[in-house]
Amino acid sequence: QVQLVESGGGLVQPGGSLRLSCAASGITFSGYHMNWYRQAPGKERELVAAISTYGLSTAYADPAKGRFTISMDDDKNMVYLQMNSLKPEDTAVYYCNAARRWLVVGGHWGQGTQVTVSS
């Protein structure tokens, strides 16, 4: 049974940083690309960052480029999203996702963690 559990969300001031974590079980990273998506109120879920199997490639949505970094730890079966220079528009529920196909929506989802950027 695949399980993805996110943590690390919270309230942060504009310009601050957060590191989201995703603990994965029931999968190995050799078989899945790992992604972070987010969904803001009233908006569709959107891809934020992706890391390929074995961490060979990464991809970022334009709003995340230069501010967010996705990484993985194979030994711990963990995926991370380091978010710096946070803006109010980054406020959303962030979801961890494990997908078989690169940059194609699908696969397994976590329950999400709330990130709120506000002063």
Side-chain angles (χ1 to χ4, degrees):
Q1 181 180 355
V2 178
Q3 191 171 17
L4 303 173
V5 180
E6 302 95 336
S7 61
L11 174 64
V12 63
Q13 292 187 342
S17 297
L18 280 176
R19 189 177 83 152
L20 304 183
S21 300
C22 172
S25 58
I27 63 169
T28 59
F29 291 161
S30 61
Y32 287 86
H33 308 295
M34 300 302 296
N35 309 299
W36 285 97
Y37 285 77
R38 69 185 182 187
Q39 188 167 20
K43 295 187 177 181
E44 293 187 355
R45 192 174 297 190
E46 62 178 0
L47 178 67
V48 176
I51 187 165
S52 67
T53 55
Y54 302 105
L56 294 177
S57 299
T58 58
Y60 296 91
D62 285 344
K65 289 179 180 177
R67 300 189 299 128
F68 294 3
T69 303
I70 188 171
S71 61
M72 63 169 46
D73 185 330
D74 280 343
D75 292 337
K76 297 181 179 178
N77 245 35
M78 296 288 294
V79 181
Y80 304 100
L81 184 68
Q82 178 67 44
M83 305 187 294
N84 299 327
S85 302
L86 283 162
K87 305 175 182 179
E89 51 264 43
D90 294 318
T91 295
V93 178
Y94 284 71
Y95 296 91
C96 182
N97 166 261
R100 291 284 197 183
R101 299 174 66 186
W102 180 241
L103 301 182
V104 175
V105 178
H108 306 280
W109 297 88
Q111 83 288 348
T113 186
Q114 175 71 46
V115 172
T116 302
V117 184
S118 175
S119 55

